[in-house]
Amino acid sequence: MPANPSNIGEAIAVFMRILGLSKESLKKIILRGEFDEYTDDKHMHCTARLAELFEKYSYEVQKSGENNSSINFLFEEIYVLEEAKGVGLPNFLPRSAFLILLQGKVSGISGIPVKFVDELWNYVETVVVAVLMKHCGSYLQVHSFLRRAGQNMISKMKEKSKDRVMEIVEMEKFTDYTCDPEYLKTWTELMAQKNVFEGAINDPNFIGKIKIEGFGEVEVGHLRKYDSNIREQAFDMKMRITAYWKIVLKRLVDSVALHVLLSLQRLVNNEMEMEFVSELMGAQGGGLEWMLEETPATATKRERLKRRVMLLKDSKEVVAKIMDRVSFEAD
């Protein structure tokens, strides 16, 4: 028969013991990478599985952010520059045009970070619930309560992560800043190809494609119909957005990874106890009484066993009396 706490004091003791053991197990497998408790269960080797999720996320971000601008080279930049132009000095790149292009690129991959944190917390939930169930032993009511509490806790952590990740994405949409010197270095290297680009356009006999580092082979003949000033601005804009995009992709990977790692630390070290005790004491401590209740099936089974035990005791007494009588008559 499943064990069942007989009073509130015993229920609290059972709850705290299970919580303490579970917390220590989660520290080992999630934070320290120790999996001696689950040697043969690879699903519970958390640091390795989390690393695989991070690698997959990084690959998807980098892959989705690959430059495919060899087709219709500079069309998008020219269109945005023409629509963002105003009355003012020539040869100034409008920041609004840069942000429009940036927002379009960020929006195109904005679903990847959200999908990642959703997948990660779903995995963490399976681990947390498995650890709780292991330490629950035969306390079925505690088993049910802790499963629900664990799922509620992970659900809250997941929502917090989604909000934070969306905030990270929004920051990349509406701000264009970096202190990384790699941006200027990359932009300078890309702009060094400008003479080759202009030379091919200005040569009326040139037909075909030119190779531009970072874009592969691109056609430029279709750009001759545009004013040289707008072409130069579009080329400059393309090189700036390309150099900056590399920084954005790295930040999207690093920022989300750092957030998740910090969240896991907080989950095990802080949130777990607070959330579980809050769940336990909810509804004026109703969780404690609920832990003492048995399911109808278990209660019926326990009552049936009690009746059988009583019957066996009565039968034992009857048999003992019969044996005594037989012994007396034999004498």
Side-chain angles (χ1 to χ4, degrees):
M1 278 297 295
N4 192 55
S6 59
N7 54 61
I8 290 180
E10 185 180 344
I12 292 176
V14 168
F15 172 79
M16 296 307 296
R17 182 181 64 81
I18 293 172
L19 186 58
L21 291 172
S22 299
K23 184 175 178 180
E24 184 57 32
S25 292
L26 290 172
K27 282 183 178 181
K28 290 172 65 177
I29 62 177
I30 293 181
L31 303 184
R32 300 201 295 265
E34 302 170 9
F35 49 85
D36 52 286
E37 295 182 29
Y38 302 91
T39 306
D40 299 324
D41 188 353
K42 288 188 176 182
H43 183 77
M44 300 297 286
H45 300 176
C46 290
T47 52
R49 302 293 81 79
L50 290 173
E52 290 171 355
L53 288 173
F54 280 126
E55 289 169 4
K56 178 184 174 184
Y57 167 61
S58 178
Y59 173 79
E60 288 182 355
V61 169
Q62 299 295 334
K63 186 70 175 177
S64 65
E66 285 183 356
N67 207 325
N68 58 356
S69 299
S70 58
I71 303 173
N72 295 328
F73 188 62
L74 298 186
F75 265 16
E76 186 178 10
E77 286 74 16
I78 289 174
Y79 173 78
V80 171
L81 284 168
E82 287 183 335
E83 295 305 308
K85 66 185 178 183
V87 178
L89 294 172
N91 297 325
F92 275 82
L93 292 177
R95 181 170 177 265
S96 60
F98 184 89
L99 288 177
I100 289 171
L101 293 169
L102 177 64
Q103 288 166 12
K105 291 175 75 68
V106 174
S107 295
I109 66 169
S110 60
I112 297 177
V114 177
K115 176 187 173 185
F116 165 67
V117 295
D118 193 61
E119 184 177 357
L120 183 138
W121 283 114
N122 286 342
Y123 166 70
V124 172
E125 179 180 322
T126 65
V127 171
V128 170
V129 171
V131 169
L132 290 170
M133 296 306 98
K134 176 186 175 182
H135 292 297
C136 277
S138 59
Y139 292 96
L140 286 188
Q141 286 303 92
V142 182
H143 180 120
S144 176
F145 169 80
L146 287 180
R147 177 187 292 275
R148 184 187 65 187
Q151 291 171 339
N152 289 343
M153 176 184 66
I154 296 299
S155 178
K156 291 178 183 178
M157 296 296 291
K158 184 193 294 186
E159 290 306 312
K160 288 180 182 178
S161 281
K162 285 183 178 180
D163 290 342
R164 176 57 184 156
V165 165
M166 289 306 301
E167 187 178 61
I168 291 171
V169 171
E170 289 298 302
M171 285 192 295
E172 295 296 351
K173 278 185 180 181
F174 296 104
T175 57
D176 53 341
Y177 170 78
T178 181
C179 63
D180 192 336
E182 191 67 23
Y183 164 69
L184 284 177
K185 178 185 175 183
T186 302
W187 174 72
T188 301
E189 291 172 352
L190 292 171
M191 286 299 292
Q193 305 173 92
K194 182 179 178 182
N195 290 337
V196 176
F197 169 73
E198 288 293 337
I201 291 179
N202 293 329
D203 182 358
N205 297 319
F206 179 81
I207 300 175
K209 299 179 179 180
I210 62 172
K211 186 175 181 180
I212 298 181
E213 192 68 31
F215 303 92
E217 293 188 341
V218 299
E219 292 184 356
V220 295
H222 60 281
L223 299 173
R224 290 192 178 101
K225 62 182 179 180
Y226 295 103
D227 180 74
S228 62
N229 182 49
I230 195 72
R231 284 201 311 262
E232 290 177 6
Q233 286 186 328
F235 187 85
D236 190 352
M237 182 74 76
K238 170 70 78 177
M239 300 308 127
R240 289 178 185 274
I241 200 76
T242 300
Y244 186 64
W245 188 236
K246 293 181 179 180
I247 305 295
V248 171
L249 294 180
K250 286 194 292 185
R251 278 201 303 237
L252 282 175
V253 173
D254 291 347
S255 297
V256 172
L258 290 172
H259 159 71
V260 168
L261 291 174
L262 178 60
S263 296
L264 290 173
Q265 288 276 351
R266 288 176 173 171
L267 170 72
V268 178
N269 292 325
N270 306 111
E271 299 290 336
M272 190 170 173
E273 286 181 348
M274 293 175 60
E275 288 293 336
F276 277 53
V277 172
S278 175
E279 186 81 19
L280 181 69
M281 301 306 296
Q284 291 77 46
L288 291 170
E289 284 77 9
W290 187 84
M291 286 173 60
L292 298 175
E293 296 177 2
E294 288 187 309
T295 62
T298 302
T300 300
K301 188 176 181 180
R302 189 182 297 278
E303 187 61 32
R304 190 183 302 124
L305 286 173
K306 284 181 180 180
R307 289 198 298 267
R308 288 179 180 177
V309 169
M310 291 298 295
L311 181 60
L312 286 172
K313 286 181 178 180
D314 292 342
S315 299
K316 180 181 177 182
E317 292 177 0
V318 171
V319 170
K321 290 179 179 179
I322 293 173
M323 294 303 295
D324 288 345
R325 185 179 303 170
V326 170
S327 176
F328 175 76
E329 291 177 352
D331 291 342

